[in-house]
Amino acid sequence: MTLKSLVILFCFALTLFAHESSSFKERRYSYALDKDIFFEGFITFNDASIMIEYVKPESKVLTYFEEKLSIQDDKGFWSVDAQQMPSLSYLFMIIKAVHEQNSLLLERFFDATTQENQTKLLPKEAVAHVLEEVIITYQNKRLHSLHVKMKNKDRIEIEILD
Amino acid sequence: MKFWIKSLNIILFCLVLLVFLLLKERIHLSSNLSAFLPENQSKTLLDMYAKFNHTTEVFIASEGFDKASLERIKNLEEKLTRSSFLELKSDILPNAKRLEYQHQNAFYLKTFQPKPSNEIATTLQTLYEGIVHNPFYTTIDPYDPLGYFSAPPENKNILIRNAHLALGNFGYLSIFKLNPNQTQQNYEELYHFVHENIKGVDNIRLFSPAFYFVENAQKIKSDVTLLVCVSSALLVLLYLLFIKNIGLLFNTLLSLASSVMLSFILLSFVWDDISLFVLAFGSAISTVAIDYMFHHYLHGHYERPLGFNKTVFFGFFTTLGGFFIFGFVDFLLIQQLCLFSMLSLTFSYLHFAFIYPIIGFGKAPDFAFFKRTFVLPYRLITIISLLIIIATLPFVRINTNLRSLDYHNQKLLTDELFFKQQMKEVGTTPILIEAQSLDALVEKSRLIAQKSPHALLPLSFLMDKKSFETKAKVLKDFDFSSTQKIVLEEAKKQGFRDNFFKHAYNASLLHPTFTPITHELLESMGIHVLTHQGIFYTLGMVKANDVAMLEAQNLAHSMETQTLFSKALAGVQNELVWCGILSATLLCLILLWIYPNALMLCFSFILFPIALILLSLIGESLSLMHLFMLFIVMALSIDYGIYKADAKAQSSATHNAIFFSLLSTFAGFGVLIFSRIGALEHIGWVASVGVFALFLLLLGREKQ
């Protein structure tokens, strides 16, 4: 990953995450089901955690803290160890690294190329077993979307609304 | 001619110095106490453990989990690995070969727990709902959708934060190890390399077991230097105040220096590594040799030819005999101390008994330090001392923990504890597993993993031939083709993509070819296994409570240092006691031969110091150095008994000589009390109490 690419990426990312909370739309494509699943909600970055509050299709709160994921829904409060789920772990790692402008972290796992409003991250080594490609796009110097292609042909697209 | 005779000692010193300078590269001083353990199974295990190079691992932690902390640790990683002297061990990226092996043998490495076939539909429905409703991205395993195979919980002593190794709640952690191309474990180079590179970097914690070797050696050397300076200053003071003979002082210092250098040269031809403790002990023992000079000098042997001094010879001979006997103790440290003492005492004796009378020195000053007015009941003292010894013996406890002899490096001990606590290693013990083949090593590792559920074992995730065959039979007996058929049908009904599970429970996963465990395979997975004389070794980490059970079942050896040292030294204490008895018998025989009429007097000089030393150590466990020095004091004390029992005993020259000898012995050994190194402090304590006891005996006289 070139340093220049990352600097540009972070300049854009900064404008998004300068806000305490941002609303987003998420589309998950499941290859196993050949189906799109849609979510909407808010994402908030705290000092040591990330909180995602889903409002659609169901109301659920997800907190990522110290590699653990806590879920609060109508069933109550439960948690999963993200380290046991590599795909999920890498996904949060990318989101966190972009938020914290942690180029060192991304350099370790990806090669990056930036063209106009788009940065493409290509996974290295073992990460390539799980991820295929990550595309980050921005509009008006703001992070616009995050597209993640999984190795198992699943897709995740997150679009920032404000 | 007279000039040459007067300069004889200086010439000898110059010659020895020249040889010493020429051969000094041969002399390798080592502060590693475990290197001097007896050659037995525990020592072999310790040597094997050392070969895993854990002592050269370097742990660096950067405080905090913020960006600055990550940058700091990354910069250090880059700096320390730039020259390829060190390499990063804490790479958290999974090993590709290991992943491939785990994928190929997935069904064999996991626990097989099938469920009734009527639950297949429900299981698939749960999977479907998970994908659709879970707020977090959820994946499914297309090879085992029903979850018949569950991976055993993976015990990891590593914690990952922000895709970097973390040290508890403290911050980021990096572990470095010496590049395998570094053939020699140069602790000093490693120490300086790391400290140079971390200069000016704040908010970090640092530790490496290798630092003990470097810092302890430095402390021991500085302690030895200080002790040598203090004891030399005391000796110089003694000479200037009482002897007032600068020429004799100068020659004595040259003789002692020659003896120490010559002894080191000869020792270097016997052993590749010489313990640093020999340097300290050697400096002290050389002051004992001054006894021989005092007796010759104060009896006028350097003033005019008086012939051979038998008393001094017997004193020298008995001490030499004591060291000779203890030289057979199977503990390299004691062997080195004994041989060094024998050589050093012999060279000094030859100087003082034969060269000094040729050189010639002025008349000794005539004075008496004290009047021996007390009549001491030496016979009674002997009997009481013997009773005290008999009464205290049952309370004597031997401490074979070698660490108690080493330098107590509080800073490093604190750092080590900090890292262990943060890595949750407190309460765990390293183990060494050995087997006749790599396959058997894997089999043993798997067995240990079953018996000790929290064990960290690098080989336990692998498959040995026997386990593979057992698992193959279990899987063969299960009807997977029907299961697969139901899965495909039910998945279609539930709404999964057509044929999405077509590879579920496929033949290549159910019946893979066995992968034999080879060195190449292990190396490619980054696993280090050692071979020594046809035996294969690997390391592990288990809960301390499980060690006894694993050892009892011959599955592993505990690598807990204290236990190993104690085992290695268990035989040494018996040998020391036997050598002590043999030495005492020899002394008695010599006394019977030379002073049959003054036996009780001589015995009081042996038994009273021992009784006093034992009393002074009541309530404390005796280290091997206490025990060793106790017997050495016995061999040294008899010198004084012999001098006292001599026909000329009542002369003030003899008493002055004894007094000076005691002072010089105290100057040499007494100062060791102030050492921060266990071994030296123990030697110093025993010697000081011994000297005090001898001094008390010297104050009195026998009833006429």
Side-chain angles (χ1 to χ4, degrees):
Chain A
M1 168 177 275
T2 61
L3 191 63
K4 196 180 159 193
S5 300
L6 282 171
V7 170
I8 296 167
L9 165 70
F10 290 135
C11 285
F12 288 108
L14 197 62
T15 53
L16 158 71
F17 297 125
H19 294 96
E20 276 197 349
S21 182
S22 301
S23 62
F24 71 95
K25 263 186 181 178
E26 182 183 342
R27 182 173 79 96
R28 279 185 214 159
Y29 170 71
S30 168
Y31 178 79
L33 307 183
D34 190 17
K35 184 178 178 151
D36 285 320
I37 306 139
F38 296 94
F39 298 87
E40 276 181 41
F42 300 91
I43 183 164
T44 312
F45 287 90
N46 298 314
D47 283 346
S49 64
I50 304 170
M51 194 172 81
I52 301 171
E53 191 184 346
Y54 288 103
V55 288
K56 280 183 186 173
E58 291 162 57
S59 176
K60 284 176 186 181
V61 181
L62 211 141
T63 314
Y64 181 77
F65 176 66
E66 289 186 356
E67 319 295 324
K68 285 223 165 21
L69 206 55
S70 309
I71 300 114
Q72 202 181 337
D73 57 13
D74 51 1
K75 282 182 258 171
F77 188 83
W78 48 293
S79 66
V80 290
D81 186 357
Q83 282 196 17
Q84 302 298 323
M85 305 156 101
S87 325
L88 194 64
S89 201
Y90 288 130
L91 197 62
F92 274 102
M93 189 259 287
I94 296 164
I95 295 173
K96 213 162 179 271
V98 171
H99 168 62
E100 291 172 353
Q101 305 170 52
N102 196 336
S103 57
L104 289 168
L105 196 65
L106 288 177
E107 261 176 31
R108 185 139 182 226
F109 296 99
F110 302 95
D111 286 317
T113 43
T114 300
Q115 279 183 335
E116 294 181 6
N117 289 336
Q118 197 175 72
T119 297
K120 192 190 273 187
L121 303 178
L122 291 173
K124 293 179 192 172
E125 301 160 20
V127 187
H129 284 275
V130 180
L131 297 176
E132 197 172 298
E133 187 185 76
V134 179
I135 297 170
I136 301 163
T137 54
Y138 12 81
Q139 247 175 15
N140 303 324
K141 294 189 176 182
R142 292 192 58 185
L143 184 73
H144 175 65
S145 65
L146 184 72
H147 289 212
V148 183
K149 285 185 189 174
M150 295 289 177
K151 199 78 185 167
N152 61 4
K153 298 180 185 167
D154 285 354
R155 304 276 181 271
I156 299 169
E157 291 171 19
I158 299 170
E159 195 185 331
I160 308 300
L161 302 174
D162 56 29
Chain B
M1 185 66 187
K2 202 177 173 188
F3 171 77
W4 290 110
I5 290 172
K6 287 280 174 203
S7 312
L8 191 58
N9 200 22
I10 301 170
I11 296 165
L12 273 173
F13 172 78
C14 291
L15 279 174
V16 173
L17 183 67
L18 184 70
V19 177
F20 183 81
L21 290 176
L22 286 173
L23 297 175
K24 78 175 167 81
E25 294 303 318
R26 288 187 59 86
I27 302 166
H28 301 126
L29 292 174
S30 167
S31 63
N32 182 6
L33 270 172
S34 58
F36 301 98
L37 286 172
E39 291 295 336
N40 55 23
Q41 198 209 13
S42 300
K43 172 77 188 303
T44 315
L45 294 176
L46 270 171
D47 288 346
M48 282 314 299
Y49 186 56
K51 283 183 186 167
F52 280 93
N53 283 344
H54 282 290
T55 49
T56 54
E57 280 178 356
V58 180
F59 301 83
I60 299 180
S62 170
E63 194 173 359
F65 289 102
D66 50 14
K67 196 182 156 210
S69 175
L70 190 67
E71 265 175 10
R72 192 159 49 229
I73 200 87
K74 285 283 177 191
N75 283 340
L76 283 173
E77 283 177 1
E78 201 273 320
K79 264 169 100 176
L80 288 165
T81 53
R82 199 183 293 154
S83 67
S84 304
F85 179 66
L86 287 180
E87 62 179 38
L88 197 63
K89 195 193 165 195
S90 53
D91 197 345
I92 56 158
L93 287 176
N95 177 287
K97 188 74 193 171
R98 185 178 165 139
L99 286 177
E100 187 191 323
Y101 180 89
Q102 282 178 315
H103 178 71
Q104 276 172 6
N105 297 283
F107 288 179
Y108 283 65
L109 299 172
K110 293 175 180 174
T111 312
F112 178 52
Q113 281 176 313
K115 291 166 202 159
S117 56
N118 57 9
E119 286 184 15
I120 293 175
T122 328
T123 309
L124 290 174
Q125 192 188 347
T126 312
L127 282 180
Y128 186 98
E129 283 171 3
I131 296 170
V132 176
H133 298 295
N134 276 348
F136 53 89
Y137 170 63
T138 309
T139 53
I140 50 175
D141 182 358
Y143 302 103
D144 176 28
L146 305 176
Y148 284 0
F149 296 90
S150 52
E154 201 175 346
N155 297 326
K156 281 183 182 169
N157 61 346
I158 58 166
L159 182 70
I160 296 167
R161 292 277 292 268
N162 297 331
H164 196 283
L165 204 63
L167 182 71
N169 292 320
F170 178 77
Y172 295 110
L173 169 72
S174 291
I175 306 172
F176 301 88
K177 62 175 183 179
L178 268 188
N179 189 308
N181 299 328
Q182 299 284 332
T183 46
Q184 265 197 323
Q185 286 188 357
N186 191 334
Y187 297 135
E188 217 152 306
E189 197 181 345
L190 174 71
Y191 184 86
H192 294 301
F193 176 78
V194 173
H195 282 85
E196 275 298 311
N197 279 290
I198 60 154
K199 226 177 239 174
V201 184
D202 296 323
N203 301 324
I204 56 163
R205 293 288 297 253
L206 169 76
F207 173 72
S208 168
F211 295 171
Y212 278 115
F213 295 100
V214 182
E215 287 190 6
N216 286 12
Q218 282 168 357
K219 300 283 181 197
I220 294 169
K221 277 179 190 164
S222 67
D223 254 30
V224 169
T225 312
L226 181 73
L227 297 173
V228 168
C229 289
V230 171
S231 63
S232 303
L234 280 173
L235 283 177
V236 169
L237 199 69
L238 192 70
Y239 273 77
L240 294 179
L241 285 178
F242 301 110
I243 310 285
K244 292 173 182 164
N245 190 330
I246 301 293
L248 185 62
L249 169 66
F250 179 65
N251 273 281
T252 308
L253 291 177
L254 287 188
S255 296
L256 297 183
S258 305
S259 304
V260 168
M261 283 192 289
L262 211 55
S263 305
F264 266 116
I265 294 167
L266 291 176
L267 235 65
S268 73
F269 281 94
V270 183
W271 292 291
D272 290 336
D273 286 313
I274 301 169
S275 169
L276 252 179
F277 295 104
V278 175
L279 186 65
F281 186 81
S283 319
I285 201 77
S286 62
T287 59
V288 170
I290 301 178
D291 295 9
Y292 313 138
M293 188 281 295
F294 280 133
H295 282 277
H296 281 101
Y297 175 60
L298 295 174
H299 282 110
H301 283 257
Y302 301 158
E303 196 189 337
R304 59 186 185 280
L306 285 177
F308 184 63
N309 188 328
K310 272 189 193 167
T311 316
V312 177
F313 173 75
F314 283 130
F316 158 70
F317 184 72
T318 48
T319 309
L320 202 69
F323 280 115
F324 178 75
I325 290 169
F326 283 104
F328 287 97
V329 173
D330 187 18
F331 184 12
L332 203 50
L333 177 63
I334 290 181
Q335 287 176 354
Q336 290 190 350
L337 293 178
C338 287
L339 185 61
F340 182 91
S341 305
M342 285 166 69
L343 292 168
S344 171
L345 288 178
T346 306
F347 294 137
S348 302
Y349 174 78
L350 292 174
H351 271 87
F352 299 137
F354 300 106
I355 297 174
Y356 279 37
I358 299 171
I359 299 171
F361 293 97
K363 191 177 180 294
D366 195 18
F367 53 81
F369 282 103
F370 47 83
K371 285 188 175 171
R372 288 162 289 110
T373 46
F374 298 105
V375 173
L376 280 178
Y378 290 100
R379 221 174 264 267
L380 189 66
I381 289 173
T382 306
I383 293 164
I384 292 173
S385 301
L386 190 65
L387 289 174
I388 291 173
I389 293 170
I390 293 168
T392 49
L393 275 182
F395 301 103
V396 169
R397 296 281 172 274
I398 310 290
N399 175 10
T400 47
N401 180 9
L402 209 59
R403 286 276 169 245
S404 69
L405 303 179
D406 211 345
Y407 172 68
H408 195 74
N409 193 330
Q410 194 51 51
K411 189 193 162 289
L412 280 185
L413 287 169
T414 311
D415 287 341
E416 184 178 8
L417 185 67
F418 167 75
F419 276 90
K420 276 191 169 175
Q421 278 174 339
Q422 294 287 344
M423 291 167 92
K424 299 198 172 20
E425 278 186 7
V426 175
T428 60
T429 301
I431 53 164
L432 186 74
I433 310 164
E434 60 173 325
Q436 301 288 336
S437 66
L438 284 172
D439 194 70
L441 203 61
V442 171
E443 191 183 341
K444 258 191 177 179
S445 298
R446 289 176 63 90
L447 202 57
I448 293 169
Q450 282 171 19
K451 290 177 185 281
S452 179
H454 298 288
L456 287 167
L457 303 155
L459 299 184
S460 64
F461 82 94
L462 294 161
M463 260 285 153
D464 60 280
K465 182 91 176 154
K466 199 172 142 194
S467 308
F468 183 87
E469 282 167 358
T470 312
K471 195 67 170 271
K473 194 175 175 307
V474 172
L475 298 183
K476 203 177 166 191
D477 292 343
F478 189 83
D479 183 10
F480 277 105
S481 60
S482 302
T483 307
Q484 196 193 35
K485 215 170 154 188
I486 303 171
V487 166
L488 286 173
E489 281 168 12
E490 281 298 327
K492 198 174 175 183
K493 279 189 214 164
Q494 303 270 352
F496 281 93
R497 179 187 281 272
D498 238 7
N499 283 326
F500 181 74
F501 294 112
K502 68 178 174 190
H503 296 300
Y505 311 109
N506 67 64
S508 65
L509 284 171
L510 286 170
H511 312 294
T513 319
F514 174 68
T515 312
I517 310 296
T518 59
H519 266 300
E520 293 69 35
L521 178 76
L522 296 176
E523 285 297 322
S524 64
M525 290 180 181
I527 300 170
H528 196 36
V529 168
L530 280 180
T531 319
H532 179 67
Q533 294 178 342
I535 309 283
F536 298 86
Y537 296 90
T538 181
L539 288 182
M541 200 72 130
V542 294
K543 289 271 169 209
N545 295 341
D546 296 337
V547 174
M549 173 266 294
L550 295 174
E551 281 202 304
Q553 295 183 20
N554 285 326
L555 289 172
H557 302 284
S558 165
M559 284 290 114
E560 207 262 318
T561 334
Q562 193 173 325
T563 317
L564 274 173
F565 283 164
S566 296
K567 278 184 192 170
L569 293 175
V572 172
Q573 67 183 63
N574 292 334
E575 284 181 27
L576 265 176
V577 172
W578 278 111
C579 284
I581 294 168
L582 195 65
S583 180
T585 315
L586 179 81
L587 291 179
C588 291
L589 288 175
I590 293 174
L591 289 177
L592 261 174
W593 176 39
I594 56 174
Y595 293 122
N597 300 323
L599 269 184
M600 291 306 258
L601 172 76
C602 292
F603 280 158
S604 69
F605 274 78
I606 302 174
L607 299 178
F608 184 58
I610 293 177
L612 220 56
I613 291 165
L614 287 177
L615 276 178
S616 76
L617 290 169
I618 265 191
E620 247 184 82
S621 54
L622 266 65
S623 75
L624 289 176
M625 283 297 123
H626 278 129
L627 202 60
F628 170 68
M629 199 55 204
L630 190 77
F631 293 123
I632 295 306
V633 162
M634 188 172 77
L636 294 175
S637 309
I638 195 59
D639 289 10
Y640 301 101
I642 291 171
Y643 301 147
K644 183 94 179 170
D646 184 21
K648 295 174 279 182
Q650 301 313 314
S651 75
S652 63
T654 301
H655 276 90
N656 286 343
I658 297 177
F659 181 73
F660 278 129
S661 304
L662 281 176
L663 277 181
S664 64
T665 306
F666 182 73
F669 278 114
V671 286
L672 294 181
I673 288 184
F674 304 106
S675 173
R676 292 160 295 177
I677 302 145
L680 301 183
E681 194 229 311
H682 298 172
I683 288 173
W685 177 259
V686 173
S688 300
V689 177
V691 166
F692 176 69
L694 290 170
F695 185 73
L696 288 181
L697 289 175
L698 186 70
L699 282 175
R701 62 179 169 83
E702 266 194 305
K703 198 175 177 183
Q704 298 302 310

